[in-house]
Amino acid sequence: MKAKKEVVEEILGQLNPQQRQAATHGDGPLLILAGAGTGKTNTLVHRVAWLVLQGVSPGRILLLTFTRRAAAEMLRRADALLAQIRRGNKKSGALTSQVWGGTFHAVATRLLRQYGKAIGLPADFVIHDRSDSEDFLQVIRTELKLAKTDRRFPQKGTCMEIYSRCVNARMPLVDVLATVFPWCAMWEKELARLFDTYIERKQQAGILDYDDLLLYWHALLEDAQAGPVLRNMFDYILVDEYQDTNRLQAEILYMLSPDGRGLTVVGDDAQAIYSFRAAEVRNIFEFPEHYPNATIITLEQNYRSTQPILEATNQVIALAQRRYVKNLWTERTEGPRPELVLCQDEQQQADEVIQRILERRESGLLLRQQAVLFRASHHSMLLETELNRRNIPYHKYGGLKFSETAHVKDLLAILRLAENPRDTVAGMRVLVLLPGIGPKTAKQLMELLQSAGGQWEAWRSWKPPAAAAGLWDKWLQLLEQLTASPKDASAQIHAARTFYQPLLEEKYDNPYARSRDLEQLELIASRYPDRRSFLAEMALDPPSSTQDLAGPPILDEDFLVLSTMHSAKGLEWEAVYVINATDGNIPSDMTTGSPELIDEELRLFYVALTRARRHLAVFCPLFHYYGPFGKTDEYGMSQLTRFLPRSVQRYFHVQSGGRAEPSTSEFGLALRPGESVSAKVRQNLSRLWH
DNA sequence: CTGTTGAAATTTTTT
DNA sequence: ATTTCAACAG
């Protein structure tokens, strides 16, 4: 057996002095400012390992991060390292206990299940995802007659955003309206009423939305009884991607560790990309103010990318209005220059991307070491078609989730109602599926159910309209069956699926594909011990891509990665292809207002570029379908993103897609963006006869 | 009250 | 393209 010192050296051996200092830091509050690719997650994970070697029980360490994908990656690496320690040090039986970790929301859920009772939460609370919450808000919105006003009241999605921002930024409604939603300011009183009712109803029904998970965690920490218990659970708390935490999350951390003992946060202000979720970069700068005894360690050596890539990305981030002073450097000097490929249209862009991917695979680079990144999830549609055509396997992250499709939501609603008869949103959703039952009847039925204390018996005596007569009896049988055996989620899905099948065929014109999805859902459900954990998981951590559905991932299967830029954060690949780098996509047309938002788009672009280890290529299609509604005969001309001005292009190898054309070609000069080609042609032609 | 039809509005990123 | 909302027929 190795001596402990040897094991420590083995674990810390690969860290540089700054990383090592961070990993072996003592108990005081610690802020690690780490540029892109400087090994911040690695450092964090090594810190966990070091702490464990010092005798800290893994179960008393909490690892928090912001996105599910980053959380999974971080926990995977921590587990791998702890496994390594276990091999080197057989004695440490304590290592069997697991590190706590996950997203803020996932950890909140675990804590609230355990301790929620202290603040009056029912043990069987259910979690509403974003669209459930919106539906709930919509019900109340209609009920309060806010939908029918002389001037248009904000839609449910907007209402939800406003509410969510108040909660997460801990900002009064008036201020949120004034700063972020000025066009809704006239509805302040109505919104306040809406939110009051929303909160009240949620509590009655035993429902928590995403924001509630944080809010109740916060409340739990404030509680005189539960607070100390929670504070004593963890000796060390490590937070990744701290620049993306919001006010509420920062407060939770402050309360978890009032004096900063054992608290480590890692972040990079140049990579803050979640302000739309009320994230505050400010949290990073306030950390040393909040904890005056905080140690600050800066990581500047980049281990990820080659010098040419680093030079180019440094130029990009330097365009920010607000400067981010960091000197990223690397010892990896060798490497090709990043490419900027100007393409005729999206089709050519897809061809160019795929050509490079296949070339690199030929020369030994696995598909899974290559990734295509884009601003919005629908940007990859054409590429996906092409990949399918050529039988290239891929895995897409971000974008519309499987569990957000209507038929999956329908089926899950059946189980949710069985789990919690007070879940009016789920109940209404299912009931209106039945012929002859509309919103009014559904609402009455739910009220009837509530007054009977959630006993399905209450519905036995109800006379269904003729259209629903046949199904009503089956429906009640199903509910009783589901209530009788809440354990086997897979069997539950099966029963619900049998009931739902005819309704699905009636409702959708592509029932076959949809019922295949539901078969997959049944398979997924079989991985969970019971209905409650299955439902919680589907709300909090749904399968991130349709390929996830084909059972547990086969490790030696090779697939290309497609991802939104947001979902790509914290990850890296040997080769990265950034597509649709046009003005309007990056920065998105939605945001071309305030300089702050433009800066955020720039940081997002920077995040995308810095994912690359060795090969980086940016693609810009010259023509694109005009507008998002794809009127196929209307083309528009695009301009290269403003984040790659001439001064920055010097750091790229500029190419025109397909055949070589001198890199002097100017794009978007003949036409201003948005001006359609057909209009230009008409105009030119009309000169001929006027 | 339900279910259909047509017009109008919207358009990203994630827990 | 898709979602939301109002108007109308049964």
Side-chain angles (χ1 to χ4, degrees):
Chain A
M1 182 179 304
K2 288 176 202 159
K4 188 177 146 193
K5 212 169 169 187
E6 260 178 79
V7 182
V8 171
E9 273 317 306
E10 194 181 309
I11 297 295
L12 298 180
Q14 289 139 17
L15 301 184
N16 71 29
Q18 291 78 31
Q19 291 177 328
R20 197 186 170 108
Q21 190 198 343
T24 59
H25 179 79
D27 279 352
L30 173 64
L31 168 63
I32 305 172
L33 288 172
T38 54
K40 80 184 146 67
T41 307
N42 202 30
T43 305
L44 215 49
V45 166
H46 278 84
R47 177 154 171 74
V48 171
W50 184 80
L51 288 169
V52 169
L53 283 170
Q54 300 306 300
V56 179
S57 158
R60 298 191 58 83
I61 300 175
L62 175 62
L63 273 172
L64 285 169
T65 190
F66 199 63
T67 60
R68 293 180 279 128
R69 217 168 150 204
E73 175 72 7
M74 189 165 69
L75 285 173
R76 191 185 62 74
R77 283 163 69 173
D79 280 346
L81 204 56
L82 289 184
Q84 195 186 329
I85 296 177
R86 254 175 242 136
R87 280 196 301 276
N89 188 355
K90 293 265 162 33
K91 210 169 39 187
S92 33
L95 292 183
T96 43
S97 68
Q98 285 269 314
V99 175
W100 272 69
T103 61
F104 276 84
H105 294 82
V107 170
T109 307
R110 286 175 69 183
L111 291 172
L112 290 169
R113 288 260 185 245
Q114 221 170 332
Y115 300 102
K117 238 184 283 173
I119 50 170
L121 266 187
D124 62 344
F125 67 83
V126 293
I127 301 163
H128 270 191
D129 69 14
R130 173 65 183 257
S131 78
D132 297 327
S133 310
E134 284 181 6
D135 289 348
F136 202 2
L137 217 43
Q138 176 69 5
V139 171
I140 299 162
R141 189 169 168 269
T142 322
E143 213 174 283
L144 296 180
K145 303 210 178 357
L146 292 172
K148 209 174 148 46
T149 42
D150 49 340
R151 301 209 44 184
R152 209 181 172 82
F153 191 75
Q155 293 203 326
K156 61 181 181 186
T158 314
C159 296
M160 194 68 227
E161 266 183 76
I162 298 173
Y163 170 78
S164 191
R165 186 163 277 263
C166 292
V167 174
N168 285 292
R170 310 210 37 85
M171 198 191 262
L173 177 59
V174 203
D175 298 342
V176 167
L177 288 175
T179 53
V180 196
F181 301 90
W183 63 93
C184 301
M186 60 180 296
W187 298 108
E188 191 199 325
K189 278 227 303 277
E190 289 81 357
L191 284 167
R193 205 150 57 92
L194 179 68
F195 297 159
D196 275 340
T197 317
Y198 174 59
I199 292 164
E200 193 189 316
R201 294 290 177 76
K202 271 189 306 186
Q203 284 177 348
Q204 281 169 6
I207 286 165
L208 300 194
D209 62 21
Y210 285 151
D211 301 330
D212 285 333
L213 293 172
L214 301 181
L215 215 47
Y216 281 85
W217 188 3
H218 189 271
L220 207 52
L221 284 163
E222 271 180 333
D223 185 74
Q225 277 202 317
V229 176
L230 254 67
R231 268 186 284 281
N232 285 329
M233 280 182 77
F234 306 109
D235 296 325
Y236 293 91
I237 298 170
L238 295 84
V239 188
D240 201 1
E241 310 286 8
Y242 193 60
Q243 77 281 356
D244 286 327
T245 52
N246 59 41
R247 216 54 224 161
L248 181 54
Q249 289 164 324
E251 280 179 27
I252 288 172
L253 290 175
Y254 291 162
M255 287 163 81
L256 273 171
S257 179
D259 55 1
R261 269 179 73 85
L263 186 57
T264 301
V265 303
V266 189
D268 179 8
D269 47 338
Q271 293 185 71
I273 54 173
Y274 278 100
S275 75
F276 71 95
R277 260 179 66 176
E280 302 245 16
V281 201
R282 192 155 54 98
N283 287 344
I284 286 195
F285 305 117
E286 271 186 22
F287 190 83
E289 288 166 28
H290 190 88
Y291 300 114
N293 58 333
T295 307
I296 302 176
I297 295 175
T298 310
L299 304 181
E300 291 188 325
Q301 182 177 358
N302 179 297
Y303 292 93
R304 179 182 295 152
S305 310
T306 58
Q307 186 65 30
I309 291 178
L310 216 50
E311 275 171 15
T313 55
N314 281 344
Q315 290 295 316
V316 169
I317 196 63
L319 296 171
Q321 298 288 308
R322 200 166 155 283
R323 290 301 295 262
Y324 298 93
V325 199
K326 248 181 234 94
N327 264 324
L328 291 189
W329 58 280
T330 180
E331 288 170 352
R332 299 182 60 200
T333 50
E334 294 296 308
R337 235 180 214 231
E339 286 181 284
L340 170 59
V341 185
L342 303 166
C343 307
Q344 288 304 309
D345 54 19
E346 277 197 78
Q347 182 59 52
Q348 194 189 28
Q349 171 179 258
D351 292 340
E352 290 284 328
V353 171
I354 291 174
Q355 185 197 325
R356 282 168 177 77
I357 290 169
L358 292 181
E359 273 171 24
R360 295 206 171 113
R361 187 175 61 173
E362 285 307 302
S363 55
L365 194 57
L366 289 174
L367 288 178
R368 61 192 317 154
Q369 290 167 337
Q370 309 191 48
V372 183
L373 307 183
F374 32 86
R375 173 69 178 84
S377 73
H378 66 261
H379 288 163
S380 68
M381 262 161 33
L382 202 134
L383 180 69
E384 285 180 68
T385 314
E386 199 57 30
L387 289 169
N388 283 329
R389 203 175 64 75
R390 303 202 203 182
N391 281 324
I392 301 173
Y394 65 89
H395 203 127
K396 183 174 171 179
Y397 294 91
L400 185 76
K401 280 171 221 96
F402 165 76
S403 58
E404 281 163 8
T405 54
H407 51 293
V408 173
K409 293 208 69 117
D410 285 345
L411 207 67
L412 288 175
I414 297 177
L415 263 67
R416 284 205 347 236
L417 180 63
E419 178 70 25
N420 177 3
R422 288 170 299 164
D423 191 336
T424 331
V425 174
M428 302 252 302
R429 180 173 187 112
V430 186
L431 289 170
V432 295
L433 290 172
L434 305 175
I437 298 180
K440 284 279 151 62
T441 312
K443 192 157 182 296
Q444 282 169 20
L445 280 167
M446 287 313 291
E447 276 160 14
L448 180 64
L449 184 64
Q450 298 323 304
S451 58
Q455 296 300 309
W456 311 125
E457 274 306 305
W459 284 352
R460 277 254 173 253
S461 47
W462 183 72
K463 286 271 173 294
L471 271 171
W472 189 247
D473 213 45
K474 283 189 191 162
W475 166 235
L476 290 175
Q477 276 175 25
L478 174 66
L479 279 174
E480 270 153 27
Q481 187 189 339
L482 295 182
T483 313
S485 60
K487 280 289 169 229
D488 188 347
S490 181
Q492 297 230 323
I493 292 277
H494 189 81
R497 206 152 67 77
T498 314
F499 172 80
Y500 179 62
Q501 188 63 32
L503 298 171
L504 180 141
E505 282 166 22
E506 183 73 22
K507 192 175 166 188
Y508 302 105
D509 45 8
N510 56 346
Y512 179 70
R514 287 176 192 262
S515 57
R516 285 274 310 266
D517 280 351
L518 299 181
E519 284 170 33
Q520 296 290 355
L521 190 66
E522 190 176 325
L523 259 167
I524 296 173
S526 65
R527 295 185 219 159
Y528 295 91
D530 56 28
R531 182 175 64 203
R532 186 185 299 171
S533 55
F534 168 63
L535 288 175
E537 190 78 359
M538 289 304 284
L540 222 51
D541 195 2
S544 53
S545 84
T546 32
Q547 278 76 8
D548 270 3
L549 305 176
I554 304 150
L555 282 178
D556 49 23
E557 193 191 339
D558 194 24
F559 50 80
L560 178 69
V561 175
L562 307 191
S563 174
T564 59
M565 294 177 179
H566 281 90
S567 292
K569 190 150 80 141
L571 303 168
E572 61 176 36
W573 295 272
E574 282 299 316
V576 166
Y577 312 88
V578 177
I579 60 171
N580 282 326
T582 62
D583 226 68
N585 284 332
I586 316 170
S588 162
D589 271 334
M590 253 75 270
T591 56
T592 45
S594 76
E596 289 88 42
L597 289 178
I598 296 283
D599 257 16
E600 174 147 315
E601 295 278 308
L602 175 66
R603 294 193 296 268
L604 183 57
F605 189 53
Y606 173 72
V607 165
L609 299 182
T610 52
R611 298 308 96 196
R613 289 175 56 84
R614 184 169 183 86
H615 302 284
L616 172 63
V618 179
F619 298 80
C620 174
L622 175 55
F623 282 98
H624 68 124
Y625 292 118
Y626 198 41
F629 308 144
K631 280 188 227 144
T632 41
D633 56 336
E634 289 265 17
Y635 277 88
M637 206 148 189
S638 323
Q639 257 178 331
L640 180 61
T641 171
R642 70 188 70 174
F643 301 147
L644 290 175
R646 295 227 145 233
S647 60
V648 179
Q649 282 177 32
R650 288 211 313 267
Y651 294 82
F652 285 78
H653 180 49
V654 184
Q655 284 173 294
S656 287
R659 67 210 78 258
E661 206 177 295
S663 61
T664 50
S665 61
E666 295 283 347
F667 282 79
L669 279 188
L671 288 165
R672 276 174 291 281
E675 199 176 343
S676 90
V677 170
S678 52
K680 185 80 185 171
V681 168
R682 266 200 307 277
Q683 194 191 325
N684 283 341
L685 282 177
S686 75
R687 273 197 216 120
L688 295 176
W689 44 78
H690 283 295

